[in-house]
Amino acid sequence: MSSKTSITILGATGSIGVSTLDVISRHLDQYTVFALTANTHVEKLLAQCLQFKPHYAVMVDEASAQQLSQLLQGTVAEETKVLQGAKALEEVASSEHVDYVMAAIVGAAGLLPSLAAAQSGKRVLLANKEALVMSGQLFMDAIRDNHAELLPIDSEHNAIFQSMPVGQNLRGVEKILLTGSGGPFRNREIDTLHAVTVAEAVAHPNWDMGKKISVDSATMMNKGLEVIEACWLFAVNEKQIQVVVHPQSTIHSMVSYVDGSVIAQLGNPDMRTPIAYSLAWPERMDAGVESLDFFDLARLDFEQPNFERFPCLRLAYEAHRAGGYASIALNASNEIAVAAFLQGEILFTQIPQMIEHCLADSPSGTPTHINEILQQDSHSREKALAWKLDQA
Ligand code: NDP
Ligand code: MG
């Protein structure tokens, strides 16, 4: 076997996947790509296969997998084996030939493969926050019980990780300050939010991301999911997390200590920084990111989050307090609501309404088995879809 670190990238064709391959391409002496996965974007995965020549390429969609397989014939990557279906994602995430797994599928579809990576003791580079929101306790137990490593890719959580005490314990930590830009509607008149268009919602002021997380940033559900994500990652409760709106996205989050110190991580808003950090940890390596020029920074602003403008943030706090079932309902209904908004089926302001409806009767407590998690997920999706039909 090669002495290089072997990596599977789940969600290779997405925004995080592409940034991960960019970082890896700068360090091919250290890293080799074992598997790349996508859902339907054949051309994009084909180009990546030609460049990185992975052992496996997985496409969840069957027709796309067949197409990719044909396109690879006679190319420099004809040795790449094409697999199809969701089960194959778990196989390439847990293979004994893999060291690190980048979990960058969007939404609940990433849960089982991310969990498979944790259960097989990999270094899990977790971008797929929805997986942790759905399965928090189970996921963290899988990491611990299988001696896996969990490195957060979400820029805020990566910043918190970097600002925590050595050993990642809470000694001397007073609270976590989770920053967020406030998205594109931070200053928009609240009574005009119903008229927000898809193009306006996906145009994030500082970050270039996939559509789903861009809408989540516009509703601030992204920050809500991140509060829950931080609770699980750092073993704190939601009262120990203060959301700080910071429009410039220069400070990526901070940890406040009992002696009055605040430790922050700053940088240009470029996901290659947390990706390179998590690949190289505990070392550092070049990410292709320009270093911050303090003389170019005009100013750094900070505001309290506005729960009236951003009801999704309030709903996320409430769901986390209510327990694991409610967090699953929150995530599932949010996924349905965002997809419906992107399809032009509901208004921007109906996103929190759909979620609130689904949270209303979610069971109390926290599921301990994966089947219970998946059942609650599909139940909440059905409920959200039924609500959508009622509104039409
Ligand atoms: P994208 O939408 O850009 O990419 C999603 C990836 O997941 C694509 O490779 C896509 O394949 C694949 N995918 C989508 N649906 C499925 C499915 N049902 N089964 C298997 N694969 C699927 O998303 P992002 O890269 O923006 O985000 C990925 C994750 O990272 C999310 O959880 C997000 O919250 C998180 N994150 C992203 C950040 C960012 O800057 N983008 C920052 C912090 C966190 P295909 O291309 O074929 O559709
Ligand atoms: Mg983030």
Side-chain angles (χ1 to χ4, degrees):
M1 274 305 275
S2 118
S3 58
K4 293 183 188 178
T5 301
S6 167
I7 306 180
T8 282
I9 302 175
L10 303 168
T13 48
S15 160
I16 294 287
V18 168
S19 294
T20 305
L21 287 171
D22 181 277
V23 174
I24 289 175
S25 71
R26 297 163 192 274
H27 302 280
L28 290 172
D29 54 326
Q30 289 178 62
Y31 300 99
T32 171
V33 178
F34 178 75
L36 297 173
T37 87
N39 188 20
T40 58
H41 279 110
V42 177
E43 293 293 333
K44 224 167 169 180
L45 194 61
L46 173 68
Q48 294 178 340
C49 287
L50 296 179
Q51 187 180 353
F52 293 94
K53 303 180 194 70
H55 292 280
Y56 292 96
V58 180
M59 301 226 65
V60 174
D61 179 65
E62 195 176 320
S64 306
Q66 279 165 12
Q67 211 187 333
L68 178 68
S69 189
Q70 281 160 10
L71 290 168
L72 281 169
Q73 280 169 27
T75 70
V76 290
E78 67 180 351
E79 303 279 297
T80 297
K81 211 168 157 211
V82 179
L83 306 177
Q84 69 182 49
K87 205 69 199 161
L89 299 173
E90 293 176 53
E91 287 163 21
V92 296
S94 58
S95 162
E96 58 174 325
H97 302 299
V98 173
D99 303 305
Y100 295 2
V101 175
M102 166 55 80
I105 291 174
V106 61
L111 173 58
L112 291 178
S114 306
L115 196 56
Q119 286 163 341
S120 338
K122 309 300 183 198
R123 175 179 293 196
V124 183
L125 289 76
L126 186 74
N128 181 205
K129 65 192 88 183
E130 297 92 342
L132 196 58
V133 168
M134 292 174 74
S135 71
Q137 189 66 58
L138 188 78
F139 198 92
M140 297 309 290
D141 288 349
I143 293 284
R144 188 198 56 217
D145 295 346
N146 298 288
H147 309 290
E149 289 173 325
L150 184 54
L151 275 294
I153 294 298
D154 217 342
S155 56
E156 296 77 4
H157 304 75
N158 192 270
I160 296 162
F161 188 93
Q162 295 194 41
S163 306
M164 275 286 185
V166 175
Q168 296 292 312
N169 59 48
L170 291 170
R171 286 228 293 274
V173 172
E174 186 220 4
K175 65 180 169 195
I176 288 171
L177 300 164
L178 184 73
T179 56
S181 69
F185 307 133
R186 188 173 53 91
N187 289 322
R188 183 164 164 149
E189 294 291 326
I190 295 184
D191 59 8
T192 69
L193 283 174
H194 65 278
V196 156
T197 65
V198 169
E200 288 171 332
V202 300
H204 195 277
N206 307 338
W207 299 92
D208 183 14
M209 310 181 286
K211 280 203 172 105
K212 193 262 178 183
I213 185 175
S214 297
V215 176
D216 284 349
S217 299
T219 60
M220 279 194 87
M221 177 55 93
N222 184 48
K223 213 47 56 186
L225 296 174
E226 289 183 359
V227 169
I228 302 175
E229 182 185 13
C231 287
W232 288 116
L233 284 172
F234 303 109
V236 294
N237 65 49
E238 74 286 348
K239 290 197 206 85
Q240 293 166 282
I241 299 175
Q242 164 82 61
V243 172
V244 177
V245 175
H246 165 46
Q248 292 87 3
S249 300
T250 300
I251 298 178
H252 298 140
S253 278
M254 305 173 259
V255 175
S256 174
Y257 286 83
V258 290
D259 61 3
S261 302
V262 176
I263 304 209
Q265 186 260 356
L266 289 75
N268 284 314
D270 188 321
M271 290 308 292
R272 291 177 300 175
T273 296
I275 291 167
Y277 178 87
S278 303
L279 284 169
W281 181 84
E283 306 293 325
R284 298 263 180 181
M285 69 185 189
D286 171 35
V289 179
E290 279 198 25
S291 56
L292 203 56
D293 183 343
F294 278 83
F295 303 110
D296 269 357
L297 293 179
R299 50 191 281 183
L300 299 178
D301 295 306
F302 305 97
E303 296 165 14
Q304 293 271 2
N306 180 335
F307 286 82
E308 190 201 343
R309 175 187 296 281
F310 297 115
C312 285
L313 186 56
R314 167 179 61 81
L315 292 171
Y317 270 99
E318 286 172 12
H320 184 63
R321 270 194 291 272
Y325 280 109
S327 296
I328 298 164
L330 176 92
N331 179 65
S333 54
N334 181 56
E335 286 191 31
I336 299 290
V338 171
F341 170 70
L342 287 170
Q343 291 295 317
E345 295 171 339
I346 64 169
L347 301 176
F348 185 74
T349 41
Q350 286 181 302
I351 296 174
Q353 291 171 16
M354 186 190 276
I355 298 166
E356 190 140 33
H357 170 75
C358 291
L359 279 178
D361 72 344
S362 64
S364 59
T366 296
T368 51
H369 194 278
I370 187 67
N371 290 342
E372 296 165 339
I373 294 173
L374 298 175
Q375 265 166 24
Q376 179 63 43
D377 178 64
S378 54
H379 171 75
S380 297
R381 279 166 200 271
E382 280 163 26
K383 197 169 156 108
L385 288 168
W387 185 87
K388 183 178 79 177
L389 287 178
D390 279 354
Q391 307 300 306

